[in-house]
Amino acid sequence: MAESKTPLLDQLETGPWPSFVTEIKRMAPEKPSAQDLLGQLEVSYEEKKGHWKHGGIVGVMGYGGGVIGRYTDMPEQFPNVAEFHTIRLNQPSGWYYTTEALRKVCDIWDKYGSGLTNLHGSTGDLVLLGTETKYLQTAFNEYSEIGFDLGGSGSDLRTPSCCCGMSRCEFACIDSMDICHNLTNTFQDELHRPMWPYKFKIKVSGCANDCVASIARSDFSIMGTWRDDIRIKQEAVREYVANGLDIQDIVIDRCPTGCMSFDGNELTIDNKECVRCMHCINKMPKALRPGEDKGATILIGGKATILQSAFLGWVIVPFMKMDKENDYEEVKDLLDKIWEWWDEHGKVRERVGETICRLGMRNFLRAVELEPIPQMVFKPRANPYFFWWPEEVK
C-alpha cells in the first residue's frame, strides 16, 4: 500500500463524525484545487502555521463585500490554490431551499469553483470555497440570474439570519423569517458596502428558546416574546401530573424567578414576576402557551469579540411590537440610531458591544434615545449599567 501523502489529515477521518477531509479527498480527482488544498493543509498541520493570505482586495462590480480574497503564500508548491477566493451567497430566510435551487447553485460552482461548499457556516451565508479572480464576476452574474445575491463580508452588515419561526415552530411569537427578509432588503447598502468600524450581525429568533443563538452570536438580537399572561389549561396540567410529571421538581423548582406554584389541582403563575424564559412552556406545551400580546425583546452587543472577551446581548428594549403593517419601522429606526453612534465612536475592529462597554451604557442610551429601565441590568436585580447624570440628581 502506498504511503499516505496526508497522514495528519487522515487522522481527522478516524472519528465517528463526518470529516471535511473526506469530502475534499472525494473532490480531489476532479478538481486540482482540491488536491492542492489537501497538500497545503497537511503542510499547515506539520508546521502548525497557516499559509493563507487573505483580504478584501477582490470583488465584483458594485459590491464591496461578499467575496473574501484568499491566496496561498506557497504558490510555487501549490499553484492551483494560488487564488482560492470565497464567495458568500445570501441565504434564504430559515435556510429553506428547493432541490432545484441547490442543483443550480452547485452546477455553477462546479464550472467556476473548487466544488466545495460550506452550507451553512457561522456567518449564515451559503459559502462557496475556492475560485480564481477571473471567474468571480462571471460566477456572480450567473448566480444573480437564478435569483441569488451576495451576502456580507468585511466591516459591513453581515447577512441577517433567523430561525424557521412560524413555518415550523409552534412557539414562535414573531414571524422571524419575514422580519429577516424585510431587514435584508431594506439594508442592502449597509450589507454590500463596508462602511463601519467592524462587522455587525442581526439575528432573529421566534422565541426565547433562541434556536439560532442570537443572544450570543449576533450584535443585534430580535427575540420573540409576549407581555401579557401565559395561557394555562388547568385540565392539561392535571393530565401531565397524572401521567407522572414531577411538576414540583421539573417545572416549579426550576423557574428562575420562583413565580409558579401548584396546589395539587391548579397551577398558579405570578405573571408580573415571569421573565419569559420558556422553561415551563417547553416542559408542558399542551398545558401552557405564550400570551397573546406578542412582540420582541431587543438585545445589543452579543458576540465573541477581538478587543474584549465574549459577550452575551444586553436587553435594551424589553418589548417591541413587530407588526408587518408598519414595515417594522420602529426597529429600523433604532438600528439607524445605533449605527450612527457606533460609526462615530467605535474604534477600528471594535464591535458595537465593545464600544458600549468602553464608553458606558448611559452614553449609548442617550445617543439612541432610549430611556433607562430596570431591565437594562448586568444580571437580574443587580448592578444596573445606567447611572444618573449629575444634573439629574436632586
Side-chain angles (χ1 to χ4, degrees):
M1 180 180 293
E3 186 175 348
S4 171
K5 297 180 180 178
T6 57
L8 296 177
L9 289 179
D10 293 348
Q11 295 179 30
L12 299 178
E13 298 181 280
T14 59
W17 46 82
S19 171
F20 72 97
V21 175
T22 302
E23 300 306 316
I24 299 175
K25 286 182 176 178
R26 187 173 296 171
M27 188 57 63
E30 302 177 31
K31 298 286 186 179
S33 59
Q35 184 63 57
D36 276 9
L37 177 62
L38 284 171
Q40 176 167 312
L41 278 173
E42 184 70 18
V43 172
S44 293
Y45 276 71
E46 290 170 355
E47 299 179 354
K48 296 181 174 59
K49 175 185 176 183
H51 284 281
W52 291 117
K53 303 183 295 181
H54 60 88
I57 57 175
V58 290
V60 299
M61 191 173 298
Y63 287 69
V67 177
I68 298 94
R70 184 166 286 121
Y71 305 85
T72 178
D73 64 3
M74 300 185 294
E76 297 80 11
Q77 189 172 350
F78 302 109
N80 294 304
V81 291
E83 297 172 355
F84 199 72
H85 310 315
T86 294
I87 294 177
R88 289 179 176 169
L89 294 183
N90 192 330
Q91 82 283 2
S93 288
W95 297 295
Y96 284 109
Y97 298 90
T98 64
T99 53
E100 180 184 13
L102 283 175
R103 288 191 187 96
K104 290 179 178 177
V105 168
C106 292
D107 286 345
I108 295 171
W109 197 234
D110 274 339
K111 282 194 292 183
Y112 301 113
S114 68
L116 300 170
T117 68
N118 182 355
L119 195 157
H120 284 269
S122 59
T123 67
D125 302 283
L126 200 171
V127 178
L128 306 172
L129 299 166
T131 189
E132 299 175 50
T133 306
K134 62 184 179 183
Y135 295 133
L136 286 174
Q137 188 66 49
T138 306
F140 167 70
N141 292 343
E142 294 195 16
Y143 283 123
S144 296
E145 290 175 3
I146 63 171
F148 282 88
D149 198 358
L150 291 184
S153 70
S155 297
D156 62 9
L157 174 63
R158 297 302 180 88
T159 313
S161 60
C162 65
C163 68
C164 60
M166 292 179 172
S167 68
R168 290 187 63 192
C169 180
E170 59 184 328
F171 295 144
C173 296
I174 54 175
D175 191 341
S176 54
M177 293 174 63
D178 185 71
I179 295 168
C180 181
H181 185 68
N182 188 303
L183 295 181
T184 301
N185 286 332
T186 299
F187 297 117
Q188 287 290 294
D189 197 43
E190 288 80 0
L191 182 58
H192 291 138
R193 291 161 190 84
M195 59 180 74
W196 294 330
Y198 202 25
K199 62 183 83 170
F200 190 98
K201 181 78 178 182
I202 298 172
K203 281 195 169 189
V204 189
S205 287
C207 73
N209 284 324
D210 197 15
C211 292
V212 291
S214 66
I215 190 172
R217 302 300 301 274
S218 67
D219 303 275
F220 189 85
S221 168
I222 302 172
M223 191 179 297
T225 190
W226 66 96
R227 62 180 171 183
D228 54 351
D229 295 346
I230 292 177
R231 290 174 285 168
I232 308 175
K233 290 182 179 178
Q234 297 293 352
E235 184 177 343
V237 173
R238 290 189 285 271
E239 185 178 343
Y240 272 108
V241 175
N243 289 332
L245 176 70
D246 186 345
I247 192 171
Q248 187 66 41
D249 180 46
I250 302 299
V251 179
I252 294 174
D253 289 349
R254 302 188 188 197
C255 172
T257 61
C259 70
M260 309 180 74
S261 62
F262 182 65
D263 63 3
N265 185 52
E266 289 200 351
L267 179 70
T268 303
I269 301 175
D270 185 359
N271 280 279
K272 70 177 185 304
E273 297 293 330
C274 174
V275 292
R276 280 70 173 165
C277 73
M278 298 284 295
H279 173 72
C280 60
I281 296 175
N282 292 335
K283 292 300 179 184
M284 299 191 295
K286 294 180 180 178
L288 302 177
R289 310 293 294 179
E292 295 181 325
D293 188 8
K294 296 174 180 175
T297 295
I298 308 297
L299 302 96
I300 189 78
K303 262 300 189 182
T305 60
I306 290 180
L307 302 181
Q308 300 280 347
S309 66
F311 293 145
L312 295 179
W314 297 292
V315 171
I316 54 172
V317 181
F319 187 87
M320 178 185 290
K321 294 295 286 188
M322 301 294 289
D323 294 329
K324 300 179 184 179
E325 289 71 20
N326 69 3
D327 200 34
Y328 309 113
E329 283 303 320
E330 191 174 0
V331 72
K332 292 176 184 176
D333 180 62
L334 179 59
L335 278 167
D336 284 334
K337 292 174 181 174
I338 291 171
W339 289 335
E340 183 177 355
W341 176 81
W342 175 51
D343 194 29
E344 181 175 351
H345 298 282
K347 295 181 178 179
V348 175
R349 299 184 76 78
E350 184 179 63
R351 299 186 81 140
V352 66
E354 296 171 293
T355 308
I356 295 171
C357 185
R358 177 169 57 84
L359 298 179
M361 180 60 89
R362 66 173 180 174
N363 286 300
F364 169 76
L365 292 177
R366 172 174 280 190
V368 300
E369 300 175 359
L370 287 176
E371 290 293 323
I373 53 176
Q375 287 85 351
M376 297 171 184
V377 294
F378 175 60
K379 56 186 178 181
R381 297 178 175 81
N383 299 339
Y385 275 98
F386 183 84
F387 297 92
W388 298 109
W389 295 94
E391 63 271 22
E392 294 174 332
V393 178
K394 296 180 180 179

